[in-house]
Amino acid sequence: MTSEITLFVNPTAGRGRGAHAAQPAASAFRAAGFSVRTVVGEDAADGLARARAAVAEGTGALVAVGGDGMANLALQAVAGTDTPFGLVPVGTGNDFARALGLPLRAPAAAARLTADALKEDRLRSVDLGRVAGTWFGTVLASGFDSRVNDRGNRMRLPVGRFRYDLAMLAELAAFRPFAYRLTLDGGETREIEATLVAVGNGSSYGGGMRICPGADLGDGLFDVTVVGNCGRATLLTVFPKVYRGTHVDHPVVTVHRAARVELVAAGVTGYADGEPLGALPLTAECIPGAVRVALP
């Protein structure tokens, strides 16, 4: 591989941690013998165009510096190519980094580990999800959790995670289950009432909420977690268990495994890696070995 790598930087990740992380990350790569090119887009579309250009020009690796949103954007540039992907996680959620076993909010350490992996050709091909040409690394969320995202994104204040705590309280007050049609691997369509359906390539979303605790990035299958029809009291009992992944033991929760998942529900938006995909219906496919990742 070429000795030049491209740092793909989100300066606003983690309330400005992305900008501060770029320098120690670049220094760690240079100390390992790499030349470093830094890409910072004027917006997401411009950044993606620049990242794709770097991949097309033969960069030795595309290394995202930021959170799950930046990782997701970088995946759009490298998925399906031979260009290695690296990640220096400095965002708020960092769920893809968790799935990859990377150190969180330690940019110099993450960059050193990634540089060593690139030098030693320690690359692992991992699965990605794909919806209508858009790639994702962690979880496609739909239902109650995506409604919380919808509401939080509409709120201007407060800033940070507290906004989504307030959005969750508001959605609980208006809570009702959704009528889904769920089809797995082209089989029989199930008509169900559900609180949410999460399609997991990785195990967690929302900064460590292990909604699909058994998901494996290398098995070619999604874990599909369905939280069924339940009232507010049951939801408040089940939801805190998501951080430990023990919610799957509750009778209202079922887990399926499939490589292709079709979701249909009225008035529900799908989010993948925390980014909006659009309104259901959506079809997600698990693509084995879609990206080569430099891992510690």
Side-chain angles (χ1 to χ4, degrees):
M1 61 171 280
T2 176
S3 62
E4 181 195 81
I5 63 102
T6 300
L7 285 187
F8 189 30
V9 180
N10 178 3
T12 64
R15 299 187 190 178
R17 283 193 296 268
H20 294 295
Q23 184 173 351
S27 295
F29 280 108
R30 291 189 180 106
F34 291 95
S35 62
V36 177
R37 170 186 178 186
T38 300
V39 167
V40 181
E42 295 180 2
D43 53 27
D46 180 60
L48 178 55
R50 292 170 186 258
R52 282 176 167 157
V55 170
E57 291 163 9
T59 187
L62 184 68
V63 180
V65 181
D68 287 322
M70 198 61 177
N72 178 273
L73 196 60
L75 290 176
Q76 311 313 311
V78 296
T81 76
D82 290 329
T83 301
F85 169 74
L87 180 57
V88 176
V90 292
T92 302
N94 300 314
D95 288 291
F96 196 39
R98 283 185 175 86
L100 296 173
L102 291 165
L104 307 182
R105 301 191 186 115
R112 283 194 297 270
L113 290 168
T114 300
D116 289 344
L118 291 170
K119 287 175 66 176
E120 297 168 13
D121 201 29
R122 283 188 281 109
L123 303 174
R124 175 187 169 195
S125 293
V126 304
D127 307 339
L128 294 176
R130 187 172 63 189
V131 176
T134 297
W135 301 92
F136 67 93
T138 56
V139 177
L140 190 169
S142 73
F144 175 75
D145 43 8
S146 64
R147 279 289 182 89
V148 171
N149 261 325
D150 286 340
R151 184 180 289 267
N153 290 342
R154 292 194 301 268
M155 296 167 63
R156 298 182 63 185
L157 292 173
V159 298
R161 295 183 66 88
F162 188 50
R163 176 193 307 174
Y164 292 93
D165 292 338
L166 289 180
M168 182 178 294
L169 289 174
E171 284 300 322
L172 275 171
F175 174 72
R176 60 173 178 78
F178 304 93
Y180 277 91
R181 294 204 306 273
L182 173 66
T183 308
L184 305 176
D185 288 333
E188 180 181 353
T189 296
R190 310 164 194 231
E191 297 193 3
I192 58 174
E193 294 283 320
T195 301
L196 65 85
V197 178
V199 181
N201 183 55
S203 61
S204 71
Y205 63 5
M209 299 168 69
R210 301 182 66 231
I211 188 68
C212 300
D216 183 337
L217 293 178
D219 64 358
L221 295 170
F222 294 125
D223 274 30
V224 183
T225 299
V226 178
V227 179
N229 186 352
C230 62
R232 292 187 191 91
T234 300
L235 182 57
L236 286 169
T237 298
V238 171
F239 212 75
K241 297 181 179 182
V242 172
Y243 287 96
R244 300 187 303 275
T246 57
H247 61 291
V248 296
D249 298 326
H250 195 281
V252 78
V253 179
T254 56
V255 178
H256 312 275
R257 306 185 78 219
R260 179 183 173 90
V261 180
E262 299 171 55
L263 293 172
V264 180
V268 176
T269 303
Y271 284 79
D273 296 340
E275 302 297 312
L277 287 173
L280 273 57
L282 294 172
T283 298
E285 297 177 282
C286 185
I287 309 300
V291 66
R292 300 168 70 219
V293 180
L295 292 177

